Amino acid sequence: MEITTLGIDIAKSVFQLHGVDAAGQVVLRKRLRRNQVLEFMAGLPRCLVGIEACGTSHHWAREIAALGHKVRLIPPAYVKPYVKRQKNDMADAEAICEAVTRPNMHFVPIKTPEQQGVLILHRTRKMLSRQRTMILNAFRSHLAEFGIIAPKGPYHVMQLAKALREGEHDLPEVARRALIGFADQLAALTAEIKSLDRQLRAWHADNPVSQRLQTIPGIGVITATALAASIPDASVFKSGRHFAAFLGIVPRQNSTGGKDRLGRISKMGDPYLRTLLVNGATAVIRRIEKAEGRTAIWIRRLLDKKPARVASVAIANKTARIAWAVMLREEDYKAPAIG
């Protein structure tokens, strides 16, 4: 079998393979169990391997590439047009095999274990922060049932929890115990989030890409580490606009007949990175009155014409393009001088 291109549809336990030769003729259709994949791939001649970018795909890409094969990860949305009629494992593997050979196909850079580990820190922090917010809101609402209102901010809720432990406020004992349990969970979640923040700061201190990204206004340690871990190779994007489009912060197009119709942002790509960039842009807007430079002048003029939320998305778009340039050129951000 002279296989030149191989498409692999990966799953939890069953893997479907579809291979073609240099003439495009099908020479392999095979289903393997998980523990058979690497042994089988080791016996194949070196070839181009396509895998759909999904859960566990980066792990398998690294393992198969270590055997000498050339591995490419393809976004699922780009594989779908090549699926013929019914969707099944064989059709998916055939579609991946076809898509990976297209000259204009976009591929996903393979992440290292270290980068995946940092992203796990981010995902864990996000989940714990969401749980902390849920408990804070529940704590407030339960106390409000007894006429006890806390000012805004987690600090005031923790002060109320301290007062409950000391026996203040006239509450039924069963309610007091339940709320103190909430308070214990809040304290544990807060401590764990701080621990994750320390780990992210430590990784940031050792990563030059993350440090360069932090020099951009609106990007702090959290956003810098997320970008550095999520984008292993900025050169896969042709321009800063392509990178912004990947993040989903460019207008959605519905153009035809030479008429351009632009709508709201597409919201494609990574929602976590997009959220971080928009939040950073919002922080920039809050301090824009005292800022100086060409960018500050542009933002103030933008705010005169557009609502703050629309302006924050526009600033996030600009920040994304700058971040792409910083990663590609491997140099710190330099603010444009007033000319």
Side-chain angles (χ1 to χ4, degrees):
M1 295 186 299
E2 296 181 359
I3 298 175
T4 59
T5 308
L6 184 69
I8 304 179
D9 181 51
I10 64 176
K12 181 179 179 181
S13 302
V14 178
F15 291 53
Q16 181 69 41
L17 280 64
H18 183 96
V20 299
D21 60 14
Q25 298 298 316
V26 179
V27 294
L28 174 70
R29 285 195 182 100
K30 192 175 185 65
R31 175 172 291 190
L32 297 174
R33 303 295 296 181
R34 180 186 181 90
N35 57 358
Q36 299 173 321
V37 174
L38 292 181
E39 182 181 356
F40 180 83
M41 294 300 298
L44 282 182
R46 306 299 177 254
C47 61
L48 174 63
V49 179
I51 302 176
E52 201 173 52
C54 57
T56 74
S57 62
H58 291 274
H59 163 74
W60 286 109
R62 290 192 299 266
E63 293 293 322
I64 295 173
L67 299 174
H69 298 285
K70 185 178 181 180
V71 184
R72 292 288 181 266
L73 297 183
I74 313 172
Y78 295 163
V79 174
K80 187 176 181 180
Y82 296 94
V83 177
K84 300 174 182 176
R85 292 183 179 270
Q86 304 296 330
K87 183 189 182 304
N88 52 56
D89 291 348
M90 290 182 63
D92 288 346
E94 182 181 358
I96 294 169
C97 186
E98 176 68 22
V100 75
T101 61
R102 298 300 90 197
N104 60 345
M105 181 57 62
H106 295 286
F107 299 110
V108 177
I110 300 172
K111 294 183 177 65
T112 65
E114 180 189 15
Q115 290 168 330
Q116 286 188 290
V118 173
L119 291 177
I120 287 177
L121 285 180
H122 277 275
R123 299 298 186 262
T124 305
R125 183 183 182 277
K126 180 182 177 182
M127 183 187 70
L128 295 180
S129 297
R130 186 165 59 244
Q131 292 177 348
R132 183 170 178 261
T133 301
M134 292 169 61
I135 293 176
L136 283 169
N137 291 337
F139 197 91
R140 286 177 178 278
S141 61
H142 291 327
L143 285 176
E145 294 292 332
F146 296 97
I148 304 172
I149 306 297
K152 290 183 179 180
Y155 170 79
H156 299 288
V157 174
M158 299 306 293
Q159 290 299 110
L160 274 179
K162 181 180 178 181
L164 286 176
R165 287 193 179 94
E166 294 174 354
E168 298 182 22
H169 303 298
D170 186 16
L171 292 178
E173 189 60 27
V174 290
R176 186 186 302 276
R177 290 177 182 175
L179 291 173
I180 289 176
F182 264 169
D184 293 339
Q185 292 183 48
L186 276 175
L189 286 172
T190 300
E192 185 62 29
I193 291 171
K194 289 181 179 179
S195 174
L196 294 174
D197 287 341
R198 286 193 294 270
Q199 295 178 61
L200 287 173
R201 284 194 294 270
W203 189 82
H204 169 77
D206 294 333
N207 187 276
V209 177
S210 182
Q211 292 175 24
R212 283 193 289 267
L213 287 168
Q214 196 190 11
T215 62
I216 304 172
I219 293 184
V221 173
I222 300 299
T223 307
T225 53
L227 283 169
S230 300
I231 314 298
D233 181 13
S235 64
V236 299
F237 302 100
K238 294 181 180 179
S239 66
R241 190 196 180 284
H242 285 193
F243 180 53
F246 161 75
L247 296 175
I249 47 179
V250 297
R252 181 189 295 272
Q253 296 191 33
N254 187 23
S255 305
T256 183
K259 296 181 180 179
D260 294 332
R261 296 185 179 91
L262 303 180
R264 299 183 177 183
I265 59 173
S266 65
K267 293 189 177 180
M268 296 181 180
D270 193 326
Y272 180 65
L273 292 178
R274 183 171 60 251
T275 299
L276 290 177
L277 287 171
V278 172
N279 289 343
T282 303
V284 170
I285 289 176
R286 289 174 180 169
R287 297 169 176 81
I288 200 60
E289 292 300 327
K290 298 181 180 179
E292 298 179 355
R294 290 174 58 185
T295 303
I297 295 173
W298 172 75
I299 293 174
R300 284 193 285 266
R301 289 176 179 173
L302 182 64
L303 289 170
D304 291 337
K305 297 181 292 183
K306 300 292 184 180
R309 180 51 63 193
V310 175
S312 66
V313 175
I315 297 168
N317 185 312
K318 189 179 186 71
T319 303
R321 298 182 185 214
I322 295 173
W324 172 82
V326 166
M327 289 188 289
L328 186 69
R329 299 173 185 173
E330 297 184 353
E331 59 184 27
D332 292 351
Y333 168 74
K334 298 177 183 178
I338 299 178

